Amino acid sequence: MSVKTIVRRVFTLVVMFLAYQIGEAFVLVPGLISRGTTPVVYTAILFSAIFGGLIALLWRVYATNHQADQDPFIHRQPFDGKRALLMVGLIVALFAVQALSSVLISHQVASESQNQDLLLQYLAESPLAMTLIVVVGAPPVEELLFRGLLMQAVPHPEKKSWRWLAAGLSAIVFGLAHAGVSDPVNLLVYSAMGFVFASAYTLTGDLRYSIGLHMLNNFAALFLP
């Protein structure tokens, strides 16, 4: 992979991330302004149009990059016993990360992350829009961004060691996007979650597994105490 290709892919990633932020705002703001009284049909249509288009665009970029790379490792993998066992292990890892975060917060080593505070605030003010974004829209978009496009910007994807390097990089960037350097404890927590998602993709070569894990994690963060 040439330097030019890496720069182009990183630039595309940044543009797509900004588009995600703008799209999220367009879906969320009407509900915040109306204090959750926006008609359900309007919210559903707006969400479907914006996130459906964004996911389709991201998938096309991801597929185009994959075709150019001709990486045989990345392809759809059937959900068999081996991968079911892998998913169980990764779910346990996610639970461990969340449990550790709760312990750190309860012992006042860390405070609740700003990302989680905003999530709960927006959920109270615009429940339908926030639920759709967090559980349905964000997981595929963020996995296509942080696992798909970002890991495609790392050279030598055919080498196992480089795939794990890309997984580590994607985890750190995921943490920075959700916590930032000003909150180092939560940065580590979100980076750990990102590494679990990246491990699903790195071990299977199928982005659907990391998307499924991300959806499960977000559902739990939103609705489980």
Side-chain angles (χ1 to χ4, degrees), residues 165-219:
L165 176 65
L169 176 62
S170 80
I172 294 170
V173 174
F174 181 81
L176 288 169
H178 288 81
V181 294
S182 61
D183 188 0
V185 176
N186 281 305
L187 171 60
L188 289 175
V189 169
Y190 278 104
S191 294
M193 285 193 289
F195 190 72
V196 175
F197 302 145
S199 296
Y201 181 50
T202 301
L203 291 169
T204 64
D206 188 338
L207 205 58
R208 295 176 301 168
Y209 289 93
S210 63
I211 290 173
L213 272 178
H214 202 147
M215 283 183 167
L216 179 63
N217 179 80
N218 285 15
F219 178 86

XYZ file of all heavy atoms in Angstrom, residues 165-219:
405
model
N -1.823 -4.870 14.906
C -1.403 -3.483 15.078
C -2.537 -2.537 14.696
O -2.816 -1.558 15.400
C -0.173 -3.200 14.215
C 0.342 -1.746 14.209
C 0.835 -1.364 15.591
C 1.451 -1.574 13.176
N -3.205 -2.857 13.583
C -4.346 -2.051 13.152
C -5.480 -2.124 14.173
O -6.159 -1.121 14.430
C -4.838 -2.541 11.782
N -5.677 -3.299 14.785
C -6.715 -3.451 15.799
C -6.417 -2.568 17.008
O -7.308 -1.900 17.553
C -6.811 -4.911 16.229
N -5.156 -2.549 17.439
C -4.768 -1.703 18.563
C -4.943 -0.226 18.252
O -5.434 0.547 19.088
N -4.573 0.176 17.044
C -4.727 1.571 16.632
C -6.198 1.964 16.600
O -6.575 3.046 17.081
C -4.096 1.774 15.251
C -4.258 3.166 14.628
C -3.577 4.222 15.493
C -3.691 3.185 13.211
N -7.037 1.086 16.065
C -8.467 1.394 15.984
C -9.066 1.512 17.379
O -9.959 2.330 17.614
C -9.206 0.321 15.182
O -9.480 -0.827 15.950
N -8.579 0.691 18.328
C -9.084 0.750 19.701
C -8.743 2.092 20.341
O -9.584 2.703 21.016
C -8.495 -0.394 20.516
N -7.515 2.568 20.146
C -7.095 3.843 20.723
C -7.886 5.005 20.126
O -8.356 5.899 20.847
C -5.585 4.053 20.510
C -4.783 3.017 21.310
C -5.170 5.469 20.912
C -3.313 2.989 20.992
N -8.057 4.991 18.810
C -8.820 6.059 18.152
C -10.273 6.036 18.611
O -10.894 7.082 18.840
C -8.716 5.929 16.622
C -9.619 6.951 15.934
C -7.274 6.125 16.166
N -10.822 4.834 18.774
C -12.193 4.686 19.286
C -12.292 5.300 20.684
O -13.249 6.010 21.000
C -12.556 3.207 19.319
C -13.957 2.922 19.795
C -15.044 3.045 18.938
C -14.190 2.500 21.102
C -16.339 2.778 19.384
C -15.473 2.221 21.555
C -16.548 2.358 20.690
N -11.296 5.022 21.526
C -11.288 5.597 22.862
C -11.198 7.109 22.842
O -11.912 7.800 23.588
N -10.353 7.640 21.990
C -10.204 9.094 21.875
C -11.499 9.748 21.396
O -11.847 10.848 21.837
C -9.058 9.425 20.911
C -7.647 9.148 21.427
C -6.641 9.272 20.294
C -7.289 10.104 22.566
N -12.196 9.086 20.489
C -13.440 9.638 19.955
C -14.556 9.671 21.003
O -15.469 10.490 20.918
C -13.897 8.821 18.740
N -14.468 8.795 22.016
C -15.536 8.693 23.009
C -15.177 9.309 24.363
O -16.073 9.591 25.158
C -15.928 7.233 23.210
C -16.694 6.649 22.063
N -16.081 6.195 20.910
C -18.022 6.452 21.880
C -16.999 5.743 20.071
N -18.175 5.889 20.631
N -13.892 9.483 24.645
C -13.508 10.026 25.951
C -12.547 11.198 25.818
O -12.766 12.257 26.385
C -12.893 8.922 26.821
N -11.453 11.032 25.094
C -10.484 12.116 24.949
C -9.380 12.020 25.985
O -9.505 11.349 27.014
N -8.288 12.726 25.734
C -7.103 12.644 26.592
C -7.319 13.293 27.958
O -6.579 13.020 28.900
C -5.884 13.290 25.898
C -5.485 12.500 24.667
C -6.183 14.743 25.523
N -8.330 14.147 28.091
C -8.578 14.812 29.370
C -9.215 13.883 30.402
O -9.330 14.232 31.580
C -9.473 16.039 29.161
O -10.722 15.652 28.621
N -9.650 12.702 29.964
C -10.289 11.727 30.852
C -9.588 10.382 30.663
O -10.125 9.467 30.037
C -11.778 11.623 30.506
C -12.565 10.782 31.499
O -11.951 10.271 32.460
O -13.785 10.633 31.309
N -8.360 10.240 31.201
C -7.534 9.070 30.889
C -8.128 7.733 31.300
O -7.947 6.727 30.608
C -6.221 9.348 31.626
C -6.563 10.358 32.666
C -7.664 11.185 32.102
N -8.843 7.692 32.433
C -9.417 6.415 32.874
C -10.486 5.944 31.903
O -10.495 4.787 31.461
C -9.991 6.537 34.302
C -10.676 5.227 34.703
C -8.889 6.884 35.287
N -11.404 6.835 31.556
C -12.451 6.456 30.600
C -11.888 6.259 29.196
O -12.441 5.490 28.404
C -13.571 7.500 30.592
C -14.507 7.331 31.776
O -15.059 6.256 32.005
N -14.668 8.394 32.557
N -10.791 6.941 28.893
C -10.107 6.687 27.627
C -9.655 5.235 27.568
O -9.830 4.553 26.541
C -8.914 7.621 27.475
C -7.956 7.346 26.310
C -8.678 7.432 24.970
C -6.783 8.318 26.341
N -9.102 4.728 28.663
C -8.674 3.326 28.710
C -9.868 2.383 28.628
O -9.804 1.339 27.968
C -7.886 3.079 30.001
C -6.495 3.705 30.072
C -5.890 3.490 31.456
C -5.581 3.110 29.002
N -10.965 2.749 29.298
C -12.168 1.901 29.277
C -12.718 1.790 27.862
O -12.998 0.684 27.363
C -13.247 2.455 30.228
C -14.581 1.737 30.010
C -12.803 2.304 31.683
N -12.872 2.923 27.186
C -13.417 2.905 25.825
C -12.430 2.257 24.848
O -12.845 1.577 23.902
C -13.771 4.320 25.367
C -15.112 4.784 25.861
C -15.223 5.688 26.919
C -16.286 4.324 25.270
C -16.456 6.110 27.377
C -17.529 4.740 25.726
C -17.606 5.639 26.782
O -18.842 6.052 27.240
N -11.141 2.442 25.083
C -10.152 1.790 24.225
C -10.220 0.273 24.399
O -10.080 -0.477 23.429
C -8.743 2.297 24.559
O -8.605 3.665 24.247
N -10.446 -0.169 25.637
C -10.586 -1.604 25.886
C -11.811 -2.163 25.176
O -11.764 -3.251 24.576
C -10.672 -1.871 27.391
N -12.922 -1.428 25.230
C -14.115 -1.858 24.496
C -13.830 -1.898 22.996
O -14.220 -2.844 22.297
C -15.288 -0.911 24.784
C -15.913 -1.105 26.143
S -17.499 -0.246 26.315
C -16.947 1.457 26.365
N -13.152 -0.865 22.506
C -12.799 -0.824 21.090
C -11.926 -1.994 20.690
O -12.067 -2.541 19.586
N -11.040 -2.413 21.591
C -10.162 -3.544 21.277
C -10.951 -4.855 21.223
O -10.625 -5.741 20.429
C -9.039 -3.660 22.297
C -7.980 -4.659 21.896
C -7.103 -4.385 20.861
C -7.883 -5.886 22.537
C -6.140 -5.308 20.468
C -6.925 -6.809 22.159
C -6.052 -6.526 21.127
N -11.986 -4.985 22.047
C -12.837 -6.176 21.975
C -13.549 -6.222 20.618
O -13.590 -7.262 19.958
C -13.865 -6.191 23.126
C -14.833 -7.369 22.959
C -13.155 -6.294 24.472
N -14.107 -5.079 20.191
C -14.753 -5.032 18.882
C -13.748 -5.341 17.767
O -14.042 -6.101 16.835
C -15.376 -3.650 18.631
C -16.393 -3.227 19.649
C -16.508 -1.893 20.032
C -17.243 -4.149 20.233
C -17.443 -1.497 20.965
C -18.195 -3.758 21.174
C -18.291 -2.423 21.542
N -12.561 -4.749 17.882
C -11.525 -4.964 16.868
C -11.070 -6.418 16.849
O -10.752 -6.959 15.787
C -10.332 -4.039 17.128
N -11.057 -7.061 18.018
C -10.663 -8.468 18.080
C -11.661 -9.344 17.334
O -11.278 -10.311 16.663
C -10.560 -8.922 19.543
O -9.533 -8.230 20.211
N -12.955 -9.008 17.452
C -13.972 -9.770 16.724
C -13.721 -9.702 15.225
O -13.823 -10.714 14.512
C -15.369 -9.241 17.064
N -13.388 -8.515 14.747
C -13.127 -8.338 13.316
C -11.814 -8.992 12.907
O -11.715 -9.653 11.872
C -13.104 -6.848 12.996
C -12.863 -6.504 11.543
C -13.598 -7.115 10.531
C -11.906 -5.550 11.185
C -13.377 -6.793 9.199
C -11.690 -5.218 9.860
C -12.424 -5.842 8.868
O -12.208 -5.520 7.560
N -10.789 -8.837 13.743
C -9.468 -9.382 13.420
C -9.471 -10.905 13.415
O -8.801 -11.531 12.590
C -8.425 -8.871 14.435
O -8.406 -7.446 14.387
C -7.031 -9.380 14.107
N -10.226 -11.509 14.316
C -10.232 -12.970 14.429
C -11.159 -13.648 13.422
O -10.956 -14.812 13.078
C -10.631 -13.382 15.852
C -9.602 -13.055 16.941
C -10.208 -13.257 18.320
C -8.351 -13.920 16.772
N -12.182 -12.927 12.962
C -13.135 -13.539 12.028
C -12.970 -13.043 10.594
O -13.306 -13.755 9.645
C -14.590 -13.262 12.464
O -14.848 -11.847 12.401
C -14.847 -13.762 13.874
N -12.500 -11.802 10.424
C -12.447 -11.223 9.088
C -13.811 -10.818 8.571
O -13.985 -10.542 7.386
N -14.804 -10.787 9.470
C -16.181 -10.488 9.086
C -16.692 -9.367 9.991
O -16.833 -9.546 11.208
C -17.043 -11.740 9.237
C -18.449 -11.570 8.670
O -18.903 -10.419 8.542
O -19.086 -12.596 8.369
N -16.982 -8.211 9.398
C -17.373 -7.023 10.163
C -18.706 -7.209 10.883
O -19.004 -6.510 11.847
C -17.449 -5.820 9.215
C -17.270 -4.416 9.799
C -15.933 -4.289 10.513
C -17.389 -3.365 8.704
N -19.515 -8.167 10.437
C -20.823 -8.367 11.064
C -20.696 -8.783 12.526
O -21.554 -8.455 13.342
C -21.627 -9.417 10.295
C -21.994 -9.000 8.878
C -22.705 -10.123 8.155
N -21.860 -11.324 8.091
C -22.305 -12.521 7.731
N -23.581 -12.670 7.400
N -21.483 -13.554 7.685
N -19.621 -9.482 12.870
C -19.455 -9.933 14.243
C -19.161 -8.758 15.187
O -19.690 -8.703 16.297
C -18.338 -10.981 14.326
C -18.741 -12.297 13.710
C -18.450 -12.590 12.378
C -19.444 -13.243 14.452
C -18.835 -13.789 11.807
C -19.826 -14.452 13.884
C -19.525 -14.721 12.566
O -19.918 -15.902 12.005
N -18.319 -7.833 14.751
C -18.037 -6.667 15.597
C -19.259 -5.753 15.673
O -19.515 -5.143 16.719
C -16.816 -5.902 15.074
O -17.037 -5.386 13.790
N -20.037 -5.664 14.592
C -21.262 -4.856 14.619
C -22.250 -5.447 15.622
O -22.874 -4.728 16.407
C -21.890 -4.775 13.216
C -21.014 -3.930 12.289
C -23.302 -4.179 13.288
C -21.467 -3.941 10.830
N -22.408 -6.776 15.603
C -23.312 -7.428 16.543
C -22.904 -7.202 17.987
O -23.748 -6.906 18.847
N -21.608 -7.315 18.272
C -21.107 -7.059 19.623
C -21.355 -5.611 20.039
O -21.750 -5.336 21.179
C -19.603 -7.340 19.680
C -19.136 -8.752 19.996
C -17.616 -8.792 19.960
C -19.652 -9.233 21.338
N -21.136 -4.697 19.115
C -21.308 -3.268 19.397
C -22.776 -2.962 19.699
O -23.088 -2.209 20.629
C -20.821 -2.452 18.199
C -20.468 -1.045 18.528
N -19.460 -0.354 17.890
C -20.984 -0.163 19.422
C -19.381 0.863 18.366
N -20.308 1.005 19.304
N -23.687 -3.569 18.943
C -25.117 -3.370 19.199
C -25.502 -3.890 20.577
O -26.237 -3.230 21.329
C -25.943 -4.083 18.122
C -26.002 -3.368 16.795
S -27.076 -4.233 15.614
C -27.236 -2.968 14.333
N -25.011 -5.069 20.924
C -25.299 -5.657 22.234
C -24.764 -4.779 23.350
O -25.445 -4.534 24.360
C -24.690 -7.054 22.314
C -24.873 -7.809 23.631
C -26.350 -8.063 23.889
C -24.102 -9.123 23.607
N -23.545 -4.286 23.195
C -22.938 -3.420 24.201
C -23.742 -2.143 24.390
O -24.001 -1.709 25.525
C -21.507 -3.086 23.791
C -20.810 -2.159 24.762
O -20.331 -2.565 25.801
N -20.763 -0.877 24.402
N -24.147 -1.511 23.286
C -24.881 -0.256 23.380
C -26.271 -0.453 23.971
O -26.764 0.382 24.731
C -24.977 0.403 22.002
C -23.670 1.040 21.580
O -22.611 0.775 22.157
N -23.712 1.861 20.559
N -26.906 -1.567 23.629
C -28.219 -1.871 24.207
C -28.084 -2.008 25.717
O -28.904 -1.475 26.477
C -28.778 -3.156 23.594
C -30.108 -3.563 24.169
C -31.273 -3.046 23.646
C -30.171 -4.459 25.228
C -32.514 -3.416 24.188
C -31.392 -4.821 25.777
C -32.565 -4.302 25.248
